[in-house]
Amino acid sequence: MALITGLFAFLYHLPQIYKWLLKPYYVTSVFMTVAFLMVRKTPGLCEHLPSQREDGNPCDFDWREVEILMFLSAIVMMKNRRAITLEQHMGNLFLFSKVANTILFFRLDIRLGILFLSLCVAFVMTCKPPLYMGPEYIKYFSDKTIDEELQKDSRVTWIVEFYANWAADCQSFAPVYADLSLKYNCTGLRFGKVDVGRYGEVAERYRVSTSPLSKQLPTLMLFQGGKEVMRRPMVDKKGRAVSWTFNDENIIREFNLNELFQKSKKMKKGRDLKEEEDNGPQPAEGSDELQPETNHPEQPTESKKDK
């Protein structure tokens, strides 16, 4: 049953996996994930490797290597229980596979361990995960524009994500947040983002710690009238984030997005009626009087990243 479920999941995500094959980050990650398996199983190479098997077969895993791989599988399964997107599942697999491979290579030969560890360090420094560039209705703030935008119109409710490009959780959350912006963005409910990894002053001003140990990235805040109403995740007295899952269901429930969206649509209707009254009665059909051009799109045009 588990095999059939995995097969269907693979087929479902096959188009996305195909796109990954075109990206160097994922290609390199896959090769580094299976590096030890390739070294141990490749004919002509495995014969020269040491082994602790009783039968002396150097091209098969010994009991200690099997134990490490089983422990790796258990850790990945536990971490993926809280994963939301496919990127998070694969990210956990890549991360812990590299750690396990490093241990296995050091146990096999210290020179191979040093070589693989050096490759991992070089990979982290030179190859970054691809950023989400899909459709969205999100306003990107800088340190000079965030306060002005949040306080410009007190009737507008803002949901702002504080993120950093180096944080894997922020990158995994990007498609979820973009999808919410496509569904709920309207005149009175807007979505924004600010890169606190780039604008450290903004992080200090809004009390968002950028330390990896604090687990505060990403942070979502709800602003009404330019003032913070709530944030997730919450922070305890020691400055550490309270565990919270960033999925669409939790965000919709905690931030009352459905209710906010309905109120925001009513605000737009009231604004349109007021503008019609200010503009006066419209000329009858067929009249030569020119009608004023009005354009009030339901969705804003800020969908490009302002960086």
Side-chain angles (χ1 to χ4, degrees), residues 166 209-217:
W166 51 262
S209 174
T210 57
S211 171
L213 300 178
S214 67
K215 301 293 184 179
Q216 293 188 32
L217 295 179

Side-chain angles (χ1 to χ4, degrees), residues 230-241:
M230 64 176 296
R231 71 167 64 192
R232 290 294 184 274
M234 295 184 291
V235 181
D236 60 18
K237 296 180 180 180
K238 296 182 179 180
R240 293 176 298 186

Side-chain angles (χ1 to χ4, degrees), residues 25 32 98 117-129:
Y25 173 83
M32 297 187 71
K98 291 170 186 174
L117 181 60
S118 301
L119 292 176
C120 289
V121 173
F123 173 78
V124 171
M125 296 179 62
T126 60
C127 195
K128 302 298 182 181

Side-chain angles (χ1 to χ4, degrees), residues 16 20 23 25-26 29 84-92 94 123-124 127-134 136 140 161-179 193 195 217-219 246 305 307:
Q16 189 172 1
W20 286 358
K23 298 179 180 180
Y25 173 83
Y26 292 111
S29 295
I84 305 170
T85 62
L86 182 61
E87 287 82 359
Q88 286 180 316
H89 286 279
M90 299 305 297
N92 290 331
F94 292 153
F123 173 78
V124 171
C127 195
K128 302 298 182 181
L131 300 178
Y132 175 80
M133 297 298 291
E136 59 185 21
Y140 282 77
E161 178 194 357
F162 295 77
Y163 75 103
N165 285 328
W166 51 262
D169 291 339
C170 296
Q171 296 170 0
S172 302
F173 178 61
V176 177
Y177 191 60
D179 184 62
K193 294 180 73 170
D195 186 355
L217 295 179
T219 289
F246 280 87
K305 295 180 172 54
K307 295 189 176 181

